[in-house]
Amino acid sequence: MTATSTPTRPLPPAATARRLTGLKPTGHLQLGNLLGAIRPLVADQYRTPTIGFLADLHALTVTHDPARVRELTLEQATMLLAAGIDPDRSMLYVQSQVPEHAELHYLLECATGYGEAHRMIQFKEKSATQRQVRLSLLTYPVLMAADILLHDAQEVPVGEDQGQHLELARTVAARFNARYGETFTIPRAVLPRVAHRIMDLADPAAKMGKSNAAGAGTIFLLDPPEIVRRKVLRAVTDSGSTVAYEPDTRPGVANLLEILAACVGGSPTELAAGFSSYGQLKNAAAEAVTALLRPIQLRYAGLARDPGYVRRVLADGAERARESGAQTVHRTKRALGLLV
Ligand code: ATP
Ligand code: MG
């Protein structure tokens, strides 16, 4: 499909979509998002129905700038297409364009305890650093449960940071089914086989993230090659000199080996044997990442010239997501005693 055409080939029926991944428009997409979330989604779309959505409602749970959320949502959708999401195979849409997410969110709040939401580690961590905590930060895991249950997703690839939220979705779904009759498919968490946790190059103890403060240790997918190279060459390692894969004692080197392995294939341990210095490893990792990003950045540049096309893809995806979501909301309402 070219950047200027409208999606025409039929999607798999929305109701059979089974694997779901969401990205929050809170910053520019980074290498961890690509390796841990986007690439697995691209690979999965050829074997199972997949759903990718831009979780813009989740971006409102903390202080946000409306113009930036709007901009980042389109940027991220464009990047997902550039990275290989095929709208004929995957359902791709923006969360707020499918009101069934918010509708199911409320219905599920009626099956979730205050204590359950309050116990979430991420709520405790994020609320501790803010002066004015939004109520939506507390209920965010219930919206996440709605995202998952809306499309009967069976598999949800999540990073370790989302494990507790996924567990809450399972608990709420099971409780609802027991109390009101079989309504929801119980989802299962799956950890990506490789690269489930790319670490920050400047701080190998912290996960690389798109909203990390300075961004010095984050490789953004739109970083030009010279910036990627600079960030990789400056990556924090230990003071040793021989290259070995020892994640517990040498996390910085292990992270570079994992990034390299994710880009070129092979195992980090085997790859380590091919290098006699950190400098060599860094050069190879920089080269591998720029080679991985080059074609994606080229496609991105083409797609970014035609935002109308990207918007059409998203509108088409939202329409299909609404069809699928409306069935779930209908089922849920009936079970709860609504819709007399
Ligand atoms: P934020 O800093 O705003 O939380 P993020 O970069 O962590 O942003 P999310 O939108 O929270 O991105 O997550 C999107 C997807 O990317 C999730 O599936 C998440 O597990 C995955 N992901 C995020 N960071 C990494 C990482 N460093 N390594 C592997 N996967 C990651
Ligand atoms: Mg995150």
Side-chain angles (χ1 to χ4, degrees), residues 230-294:
R230 196 169 72 210
K231 286 177 177 172
V232 175
L233 295 189
R234 285 187 187 165
V236 169
T237 52
D238 54 86
S239 55
S241 54
T242 56
V243 179
Y245 182 63
E246 292 164 0
D248 291 337
T249 50
R250 298 158 78 180
V253 173
N255 191 36
L256 289 172
L257 285 165
E258 280 174 29
I259 290 173
L260 182 65
C263 293
V264 302
S267 83
T269 309
E270 284 162 14
L271 288 167
F275 300 105
S276 54
S277 72
Y278 287 176
Q280 263 187 0
L281 168 62
K282 285 181 171 178
N283 273 309
E287 185 50 47
V289 174
T290 46
L292 179 74
L293 296 186
R294 196 173 300 125

Side-chain angles (χ1 to χ4, degrees), residues 283-308:
N283 273 309
E287 185 50 47
V289 174
T290 46
L292 179 74
L293 296 186
R294 196 173 300 125
I296 297 175
Q297 293 182 347
L298 274 174
R299 280 196 297 273
Y300 180 90
L303 286 159
R305 279 195 288 274
D306 191 1

Side-chain angles (χ1 to χ4, degrees), residues 22-24 26 30 32-33 36-37 159 195-198 207-211:
L23 296 133
K24 274 184 306 206
T26 43
Q30 42 90 10
N33 301 136
H196 60 266
R197 202 164 155 87
I198 298 294
K207 181 189 81 69
M208 191 179 282
K210 61 177 126 64
S211 45

